[in-house]
Amino acid sequence: MTGAPRVVIGLDVGTTAAKAVAFGIGEWQPVERVSAVHEYPLVRPRSGWRVQDPGAVLRAVDRALSDVVAALDGTTVVEAVSISTAMHGVIALDRDQQPLTPIVTWADARARDEARELRATPTAAELQRSSGTPVHSMSPLTKLRWFSRHEPELTARAATWAGLKDLVVHSLTGRVVTELSSASGTGLLSIADRTWDPRALELAGVRRDQLPEVLPTTSSLPLSASAAARTGLPPGTPVVLGAGDGPLGNLGTGALRRGVAGLSLGTSGALRLVVDEPFADPTGRLFCYALTDDRWVVGTPISNGGAVVRWAGSVLAADLPDGPDRDADVLALAAGVPPGSEGLVMLPFLLAERGPLWDADVRGAFLGLRQHHTRGHFVRAAVEGVAFQLATVLDGLDTVGPVTSIRATGGVFRAPLWREVLGGVLGRPLLVTAGAEGSALGAAALGLHAIGEAPTLESALEALAPGLLDADPLGADTIVPDAADVAAYRAARDSAAGRLRELAAAADLLAVPTPGPGATDAAQSRSATTPATSGN
């Protein structure tokens, strides 16, 4: 190797932490990548609200970057910083670009009523077709509609309504702009012509001049002198705007090629597929967000992932000791339960759900309960319920293009039960990748392509993570579905639909009868002639 080491820093700003990772370019692959993480809280000021303190987020960004820079060899050249951020956040800025509100995150459900009202009209389907974003309380459109209704003076006073990406870019460059990927997740952008949609803006109650300019995800701006002083990076270092964390997660795990889906599953989850142009899902179940101008990602997030089993453990296995092995101990309760949980099915809607129903009001349930079911059955049914939910997303992706394999990341894949169930329910080879750096690696690869160091996203990924893109889908850490399990889970999933149909009769039975003619008078007559009784 000759010359100074060269790196691209991928900056991943998420819901509770900012992570910076320095990726060596080409021959400059370090034994261990230099990285730093700084956390911040997700604040709950009221029930259903989930916000971030913008100052805390930006301080974490600066510290993560400065820690990485300090850890690099003094001769290392940082070619660019490229940014991934969580999507769907909203923050109001004044004329001096100072925050008027916290960052209202994707997890904030204050706009549930606004979303429910819109979803009850034909407008919801029209909005999703034009914007690619489902009408849901996570979307900035519904959040802005909430602000317009409940804080109209603030809505009018805001000079700019920005997102998390826009806030980070402003902090590093001094410019308030957004990029196509984050904009495509607002519900306010026409994905056909890639400009703010006047009809959506009217529904949101905001003006066009209150929104940032939309630039390509490959655009870069120079690092400002003040940001350079805070981070230790040279002034003028290219800051690539990057994309949203979901689309970049696909890039960072190598789920780029036709037929290869990307699955991330931790507390929550998502299943996504890269396509070459915007796709308007006629069923309304799949989102469509940009990765670059000519690469788009369709899919669905779920709010109820590994958290469902964590809940089951807290309720059904409180006797098990706390500690690092507790989750494994809870899953071990289901070890002897066969696929399908002997007819017990869980609808895992414990948290307000996102896709594929996009209905935050739908509630969870266990169906098919019988006397022989044990807590092990409940635990396994919880795992299977999450997997069935993902299978419905996979069904939708198959209509876009047949999915032949899945790149999977997430902590749940350390557990044999999760691997077995997901392999059997999804019925495709699942290649488990080291996804801890997925979105950061995706951001770095996009950045390398953006500054002209790689002609394609694929070549950029190969330069930073050699061999990842071409990893064998039947390689060492691949979950290959068992044919018998696939058949058993298909039957179990079909039976779940039957269980729901059976409950229609129970719903009729429990319905309170409507009083007939004279019923009210009769009730009043009985009340008048019934002696009062003492409470003593």
Side-chain angles (χ1 to χ4, degrees):
M1 295 185 291
T2 59
R6 301 165 61 232
V7 301
V8 173
I9 295 178
L11 176 63
D12 182 16
V13 186
T15 305
T16 58
K19 181 174 187 176
V21 186
F23 295 92
I25 301 171
E27 62 184 358
W28 295 107
Q29 296 296 324
V31 176
E32 290 188 12
R33 290 184 177 128
V34 175
S35 65
V37 178
H38 283 271
E39 297 183 344
Y40 36 81
L42 182 63
V43 183
R44 183 186 178 188
R46 298 187 192 179
S47 177
W49 293 24
R50 298 291 186 277
V51 302
Q52 298 164 321
D53 173 5
V57 172
L58 295 179
R59 287 190 295 273
V61 166
D62 287 346
R63 290 168 183 165
L65 287 172
S66 62
D67 284 356
V68 167
V69 172
L72 291 171
D73 183 285
T75 63
T76 299
V77 176
V78 177
E79 297 288 357
V81 175
S82 186
I83 309 171
S84 164
T85 54
M87 301 179 75
H88 312 302
V90 167
I91 182 171
L93 304 176
D94 66 16
R95 294 188 183 280
D96 296 321
Q97 311 306 334
Q98 296 302 304
L100 295 172
T101 67
I103 304 166
V104 182
T105 71
W106 65 267
D108 193 288
R110 72 183 68 189
R112 182 178 293 181
D113 289 345
E114 284 71 21
R116 185 188 300 114
E117 291 170 7
L118 280 175
R119 288 187 64 82
T121 71
T123 301
E126 296 167 6
L127 285 170
Q128 182 162 353
R129 282 194 296 271
S130 64
S131 72
T133 302
V135 174
H136 187 270
S137 59
M138 74 172 188
S139 79
L141 184 153
T142 62
K143 292 183 175 75
L144 291 172
R145 191 172 171 89
W146 183 92
F147 274 106
S148 297
R149 285 183 170 182
H150 298 277
E151 299 193 36
E153 293 182 4
L154 170 66
T155 303
R157 191 167 79 251
T160 305
W161 286 101
L164 176 58
K165 171 65 68 68
D166 320 340
L167 186 73
V168 173
V169 169
H170 175 258
S171 177
L172 295 179
T173 72
R175 292 275 306 277
V176 179
V177 295
T178 193
E179 37 75 13
L180 182 62
S181 181
S182 295
S184 67
T186 62
L188 302 170
L189 190 86
S190 166
I191 58 177
D193 57 26
R194 303 172 195 193
T195 59
W196 299 119
D197 183 347
R199 184 184 185 191
L201 300 188
E202 181 181 359
L203 287 168
V206 297
R207 306 184 308 273
R208 168 65 185 83
D209 61 275
Q210 290 178 296
L211 299 179
E213 179 185 2
V214 182
L215 299 178
T217 60
T218 51
S219 298
S220 66
L221 299 170
L223 187 75
S224 68
S226 60
R230 298 193 308 267
T231 62
L233 287 162
T237 298
V239 177
V240 178
L241 301 190
D245 57 351
L248 286 173
N250 268 54
L251 175 55
T253 56
L256 273 180
R257 291 177 172 159
R258 188 181 302 275
V260 181
L263 167 62
S264 57
L265 185 57
T267 301
S268 58
L271 187 59
R272 302 175 291 260
L273 186 69
V274 174
V275 295
D276 294 335
E277 58 186 4
F279 174 81
D281 177 24
T283 70
R285 294 186 174 186
L286 302 175
F287 62 62
C288 180
Y289 305 146
L291 175 57
T292 63
D293 286 349
D294 56 2
R295 306 292 278 275
W296 295 71
V297 173
V298 295
T300 296
I302 61 170
S303 298
N304 295 280
V308 175
V309 176
R310 185 68 58 85
W311 167 84
S314 67
V315 172
L316 302 169
D319 57 311
L320 295 180
D322 290 331
D325 297 326
R326 176 173 170 76
D327 287 350
D329 292 341
V330 171
L331 292 172
L333 296 173
V337 178
S341 300
E342 295 187 305
L344 186 66
V345 177
M346 183 184 187
L347 304 180
F349 308 128
L350 302 180
L351 302 172
E353 191 50 276
R354 288 177 287 170
L357 293 177
W358 299 106
D359 184 351
D361 295 322
V362 66
R363 302 298 182 97
F366 281 98
L367 309 176
L369 180 61
R370 290 299 190 196
Q371 187 176 17
H372 67 275
H373 288 134
T374 66
R375 62 178 179 172
H377 288 84
F378 281 86
V379 170
R380 186 173 190 112
V383 175
E384 292 175 349
V386 173
F388 290 151
Q389 178 86 330
L390 290 169
T392 66
V393 180
L394 185 58
D395 292 343
L397 295 183
D398 276 330
T399 66
V400 180
V403 175
T404 55
S405 67
I406 298 171
R407 297 290 183 99
T409 67
V412 304
F413 291 99
R414 291 191 293 268
L417 181 63
W418 273 106
R419 293 168 69 97
E420 173 206 323
V421 171
L422 287 164
V425 172
L426 299 180
R428 320 292 161 88
L430 275 72
L431 174 63
V432 180
T433 66
E437 296 171 345
S439 293
L441 174 56
L446 180 59
L448 192 65
H449 171 58
I451 62 174
E453 290 283 340
T456 64
L457 293 178
E458 288 82 357
S459 61
L461 188 61
E462 179 64 21
L464 301 180
L468 176 60
L469 189 65
D470 293 315
D472 183 358
L474 296 178
D477 200 14
T478 297
I479 304 166
V480 180
D482 178 81
D485 285 352
V486 172
Y489 286 123
R490 188 175 296 276
R493 181 181 166 190
D494 187 57
S495 74
R499 298 277 183 269
L500 285 169
R501 287 190 291 269
E502 291 168 1
L503 289 177
D508 292 341
L509 182 66
L510 291 173
V512 177
T514 302
T520 301
D521 293 341
Q524 292 174 345
S525 176
R526 284 195 301 272
S527 175
T529 58
T530 300
T533 57
S534 170
N536 297 325

